[in-house]
Amino acid sequence: MRVLVTGGAGFIGGHLAEAFAGDGHDVVVLDNFDPYYDTRIKEHNVETGREAAAESDGSYDLVEGDVRDADLVDDLVADADSVYHQAAQAGVRTDYSPRKYDEVNVDGTLNVLDAARDHGVERLVFASSSSVYGKPRYLPYDEDHLTTPISPYGTSKLAGERYAMVYAERYGVPAVALRYFTVYGPRMRPNMAISNFVSRCLNGEPPVIYGDGTQTRDMTYVEDILAANRALLDTDAADGEVMNVGSTDNIDIETLATEIRDQLAPELELEYTDAYEVDADHSHADVSKASELIGYEPTYTIREGVEAFVEWYRANREWYEPLVRNS
C-alpha cells in the first residue's frame, strides 16, 4: 500500500512513517521542517524511517514541502492509497498569531481534504487533539462532551476535524479523526513535561512544575497511538467518526514529577512556578468508542510508558539531551 504521511518527520508522524515502512508499505513523507523545535529530531525521524524501509519490502521517500501548497498536496495525494494527516502548527502555549494556526491547521487540512475527495483515497486519518475539549464538564471525556477549546491550537484542530467530518458526510471522503491525549515516547518534542523532568533529574536539577501540580493528564505512549493508526489501514468501521485515543489512565503532574524524581534523583526537591492559563486543568480519555469500532486497547500505563521512555532516553542521551536542554 502507498501511504502519505503529512508532517511525517515530526514526532507522531515520524513514528507512523517508520512503522508503515517497516510493515512493508511504500511511504511518502511530506514535511516542511518547521523549526518550532530543533529540526535535528526530525532528521533522526527521517533516518529511522529510511532504516525501517531498508530492512523490509517497503520504501521511504521524503518530500520537503508544506501542506499550504495546494498543488503539491494534490500531486502527492493523487498517488496515495491512504493519507495520514499529521502536519500541523503545534503548541498550546506558544504565542503565534491565531492566523498561523488557521493557515496551517485549517487551510492546510482543507487542501488535504480537497485532494482526497478529488482522487478517491481509501482512507484519510486526521490527527486531532484532546485540546478540542477545553475545560471539562465531566471526566473522562467521551466524544459527546462539549468542545470549547481555550487556545488557538485547540480551536484550529476542532475546525480541521469538523471539516473532515463534513467531507465524509457530504462528499464521501472516508475520513476518521483521532483525538490524541498527550502523546509521549522516544523522539518526543523536547519541550514536554516528561522529557524536561527526566533531563533535569539526570543532570541533578529539580523538576519544575507549572502550577500547583494538581493538574491531571491522560498521557498516551506512542506505541498505543501507532496501534490505533495501524488498525485504520485495514478497516472502514470508523469512517466518518471522531474517536478518542488515550491511555484510559491519568496522573497528576506532581505525582508524575515525583515518580520520575524518585527513580532518577531522589535527593532532589520539586520546584514550582506559575501555571500557563491555556493549560487544561484535567484530561482523561474514554476510549470505549475506539475499542468498539477498531479494537483499540491501550497496552501501556503511564508508569510503564515513562519507564520505557527513561530507558530510551538513557540509550540516546548523547544526541537527544542537548536538544532538550536547549528547548
Side-chain angles (χ1 to χ4, degrees):
M1 181 178 290
R2 192 167 179 84
V3 182
L4 171 64
V5 184
T6 71
F11 169 40
I12 299 174
H15 279 275
L16 289 176
E18 177 189 2
F20 292 146
D23 290 342
H25 299 292
D26 296 317
V27 176
V28 176
V29 163
L30 172 64
D31 204 289
N32 70 350
F33 287 80
D34 183 275
Y36 171 65
Y37 58 88
D38 198 306
T39 57
R40 283 175 288 181
I41 294 179
K42 293 193 171 190
E43 292 167 3
H44 276 272
N45 286 332
V46 171
E47 182 179 342
T48 59
R50 287 175 171 156
E51 290 172 353
E55 296 171 0
S56 74
D57 294 328
S59 64
Y60 181 103
D61 293 311
L62 172 66
V63 177
E64 292 194 43
D66 199 299
V67 291
R68 289 172 287 185
D69 184 339
D71 290 336
L72 175 60
V73 168
D74 187 79
D75 287 344
L76 296 177
V77 172
D79 291 332
D81 298 309
S82 294
V83 178
Y84 284 77
H85 180 38
Q86 308 294 308
Q89 176 57 65
V92 171
R93 295 174 177 174
T94 46
D95 198 26
Y96 293 126
S97 164
R99 291 190 179 277
K100 184 171 185 183
Y101 291 101
D102 186 75
E103 291 166 2
V104 178
N105 300 356
V106 183
D107 289 346
T109 296
L110 284 170
N111 288 338
V112 175
L113 288 167
D114 282 339
R117 176 187 60 185
D118 292 344
H119 298 292
V121 300
E122 294 179 16
R123 184 141 304 101
L124 187 151
V125 182
F126 173 75
S128 188
S129 167
S130 61
S131 295
V132 304
Y133 288 116
K135 296 184 180 298
R137 270 64 173 183
Y138 57 84
L139 291 171
Y141 291 117
D142 58 30
E143 291 82 359
D144 293 327
H145 189 284
L146 287 175
T147 47
T148 54
I150 58 174
S151 67
Y153 170 76
T155 301
S156 67
K157 278 297 184 181
L158 180 59
E161 77 169 42
R162 294 318 308 157
Y163 273 122
M165 295 302 98
V166 168
Y167 273 64
E169 177 70 24
R170 292 290 303 275
Y171 308 124
V173 174
V176 182
L178 300 181
R179 290 175 178 167
Y180 298 149
F181 280 70
T182 314
V183 186
Y184 69 100
R187 308 193 305 273
M188 68 190 291
R189 289 205 328 250
N191 58 347
M192 302 292 283
I194 291 175
S195 53
N196 274 296
F197 290 164
V198 172
S199 175
R200 291 183 68 84
C201 287
L202 286 175
N203 286 280
E205 300 170 356
V208 176
I209 295 171
Y210 293 93
D212 61 9
T214 61
Q215 312 95 311
T216 60
R217 291 292 179 270
D218 188 328
M219 297 180 173
T220 317
Y221 194 62
V222 69
E223 289 292 333
D224 287 330
I225 294 293
L226 292 181
N229 281 279
R230 272 186 167 122
L232 291 169
L233 276 179
D234 302 317
T235 180
D236 61 2
D239 288 356
E241 299 289 346
V242 175
M243 299 186 298
N244 291 335
V245 181
S247 71
T248 75
D249 191 11
N250 73 345
I251 191 170
D252 66 77
I253 299 300
E254 185 175 63
T255 299
L256 176 66
T258 299
E259 292 199 0
I260 292 173
R261 186 273 314 271
D262 289 349
Q263 180 181 346
L264 300 178
E267 73 281 3
L268 297 175
E269 297 290 333
L270 303 182
E271 291 187 2
Y272 298 81
T273 190
D274 293 340
Y276 286 90
E277 291 183 3
V278 294
D279 282 353
D281 292 330
H282 305 285
S283 71
H284 191 191
D286 179 340
V287 300
S288 56
K289 184 175 181 180
S291 177
E292 177 184 351
L293 291 178
I294 63 172
Y296 173 71
E297 296 293 341
T299 57
Y300 284 81
T301 67
I302 291 172
R303 289 161 179 83
E304 290 168 341
V306 169
E307 287 180 5
F309 175 71
V310 169
E311 181 179 352
W312 176 87
Y313 192 110
R314 288 185 185 277
N316 292 271
R317 188 175 179 181
E318 182 177 355
W319 73 266
Y320 181 70
E321 182 167 83
L323 310 186
V324 178
R325 305 288 290 173
N326 292 326
S327 66

